Amino acid sequence: MKIIFSDDQDEVKVPKEAVALLKQGLQAVAKLHKLSAKTEVSVSLVNDEVIHVLNKDYRGIDRPTDVLSFALDEAEEPQEIGGPETHLLGDIIISAETAVRQGREYGHGFNRELVYLGVHSLLHLLGYDHMNKDDKAVMREEEEKALQMIHLSQADLDRSEEKDDPDHFALAVVDAEPEKKTEKTAKSGKHKVTSAKKIKPVKNRKKSDNNAKEGEKLMGRKDIKATDKTIKKLFKKALKTRENAYVPFSKFKVGAAVLTKSGDIFTGCNVENSSFGLTVCAERVAMFNAAAAGVRPGEITMLLVAADTEDVTSPCGACRQVMAEFEIPVIVMANVRGDMKTVSLEELLPFSFKAADFA
Ligand SMILES: O=c1ccn([C@H]2C[C@H](O)[C@@H](CO)O2)c(=O)[nH]1
Ligand SMILES: [Zn+2]
């Protein structure tokens, strides 16, 4: 397969090895799908601003995204007798800025994120989709196969992380958008546009027998696509503190936990007041607990919140604003049964008000 690569942005300095890996990942997909040498795909790295415009124009979604796949619409490409010299698959547009951010959020870095997004997008161009659960599973498997070929699979990653940094969290999955809101395919001109939402495969699909019930709970549920020791630890601590919730009025107990860069965990529960408006949520208590111990903005890497809700527990607006102040990149919304959804701060509170706005 021929790859036409161009780096059309200045915001991120893209290392040579990242581009090499990206190409390897794409070639792995090509090999697995037996694409010929005459197949051509173009890959362009852009900044958030550019992908935002594309996302708005083609999908009507007014925000940046990680990757857009522009498939050439076969029907509009006249087939010449004897077939075309080259078969153009389409364009892959990746936001380098978002790749940096997501690589950091998931803990696996820019290079892997870039490769993942490229592989995911190429699979879209080949007709894969993740509109429903079955399609999603198939696509995931294809991604893993390709990533395995270049030793960047989830499994490879888990192993290297265990070796280097046993407590390091690799946030494996994010699918913040609820099922019904999954991507729409928009058509405009000859381009068909789809977008990749990050969903990585569950780290351990096979059941491990020596696993505590806790872990089983986390892994089996529908929305959590991966788990690791750190999330389990946060979850357990949040549930424990939740027991201390002071909730004479709502009787609704909430627990939260935050993780700092240095590995400390602070927890909180909701504390109500007869003057109702003075009630403070579990999330803010956890963040303020950390602050009281000297933790400053940028030093919290993750917040988890859990209550006995049907779906996962979603933080209120006030807490979101405080999360923005502390620049917490990853928020895990859970319920006591262990359902979980992981979202970025940007998803929870877009266009947030920051000190920089008045400084
Ligand atoms: O994310 C949330 C939502 C609500 N609450 C608390 C506040 C109040 O005590 C009770 C009912 O709103 O739940 C939290 O702690 N966190
Ligand atoms: Zn709140």
Side-chain angles (χ1 to χ4, degrees), residues 281 283-284 315-316 318-319:
C281 300
E283 298 94 313
R284 269 175 289 156
C316 77
C319 290

Side-chain angles (χ1 to χ4, degrees), residues 247 250 252 254 270-272 279-283 305 313-316 319:
V247 290
S250 74
F252 181 65
V254 186
N270 48 337
V271 182
E272 300 188 339
T279 293
V280 184
C281 300
E283 298 94 313
V305 58
T313 305
S314 173
C316 77
C319 290

Side-chain angles (χ1 to χ4, degrees), residues 20-224:
L21 268 175
L22 170 64
K23 288 182 178 171
Q24 281 174 36
L26 297 175
Q27 293 297 3
V29 175
K31 195 166 174 193
L32 287 165
H33 290 81
K34 303 194 167 54
L35 303 183
S36 84
K38 287 183 177 155
T39 305
E40 213 175 275
V41 70
S42 97
V43 184
S44 164
L45 302 186
V46 298
N47 61 18
D48 274 350
E49 202 185 327
V50 169
I51 210 156
H52 185 158
V53 170
L54 291 169
N55 204 24
K56 193 171 171 205
D57 287 356
Y58 287 96
R59 298 173 69 225
I61 298 177
D62 194 6
R63 57 173 154 83
T65 186
D66 45 16
V67 61
L68 292 168
S69 316
F70 292 75
L72 276 178
D73 202 333
E74 314 269 315
E76 290 170 37
E77 291 292 302
Q79 285 288 109
E80 278 157 36
I81 300 155
E85 253 312 292
T86 51
H87 172 63
L88 301 171
L89 272 179
D91 301 336
I92 295 171
I93 316 280
I94 299 173
S95 164
E97 282 180 284
T98 297
V100 166
R101 214 165 38 241
Q102 291 186 169
R104 200 180 293 141
E105 282 168 17
Y106 309 142
H108 58 222
F110 174 74
N111 292 8
R112 189 194 187 270
E113 185 60 19
L114 186 70
V115 179
Y116 174 82
L117 293 173
V119 164
H120 183 91
S121 180
L122 178 54
L123 287 168
H124 271 312
L125 296 183
L126 294 173
Y128 288 85
D129 226 315
H130 42 82
M131 305 283 266
N132 65 50
K133 235 176 80 192
D134 292 344
D135 292 350
K136 201 185 264 187
V138 171
M139 191 169 179
R140 236 58 322 138
E141 225 167 86
E142 290 301 321
E143 285 168 4
E144 269 299 280
K145 270 193 241 163
L147 294 172
Q148 252 164 35
M149 279 175 68
I150 60 166
H151 308 292
L152 268 183
S153 75
Q154 196 60 42
D156 290 325
L157 220 76
D158 293 339
R159 270 198 299 282
S160 64
E161 259 152 24
E162 268 157 37
K163 202 166 57 213
D164 298 334
D165 187 359
D167 234 337
H168 177 85
F169 66 91
L171 231 215
V173 176
V174 178
D175 189 7
E177 289 185 41
E179 231 37 62
K180 26 179 170 19
K181 261 178 46 197
T182 46
E183 69 184 6
K184 286 198 189 74
T185 301
K187 278 204 168 190
S188 174
K190 59 178 182 168
H191 285 138
K192 185 178 95 198
V193 185
T194 54
S195 143
K197 263 328 271 184
K198 302 233 7 112
I199 308 144
K200 270 170 265 138
V202 176
K203 171 167 144 185
N204 287 312
R205 282 195 190 283
K206 40 183 176 5
K207 291 224 158 57
S208 70
D209 27 340
N210 64 349
N211 218 334
K213 274 203 237 85
E214 210 64 58
E216 285 286 308
K217 254 197 266 168
L218 289 179
M219 291 205 273
R221 314 306 293 205
K222 60 175 182 332
D223 278 315
I224 187 127

Side-chain angles (χ1 to χ4, degrees), residues 171 218 224 227-228 230-240 254-259 265-268 282-284 286-287 300-307 313 315 323 328 330-336 338-342:
L171 231 215
L218 289 179
I224 187 127
T227 178
D228 65 40
T230 313
I231 296 182
K232 269 188 266 178
K233 212 151 101 189
L234 283 177
F235 182 62
K236 261 175 108 161
K237 292 207 172 198
L239 288 193
K240 183 131 190 278
V254 186
V258 296
L259 174 72
I265 293 176
F266 298 89
T267 61
E283 298 94 313
R284 269 175 289 156
M287 289 183 276
I300 297 176
T301 56
M302 189 191 281
L303 179 148
L304 180 146
V305 58
T313 305
M323 288 173 199
I328 306 179
V330 177
I331 294 100
V332 182
M333 304 186 292
N335 64 20
V336 293
D339 295 327
M340 292 193 189
K341 269 191 188 128
T342 308

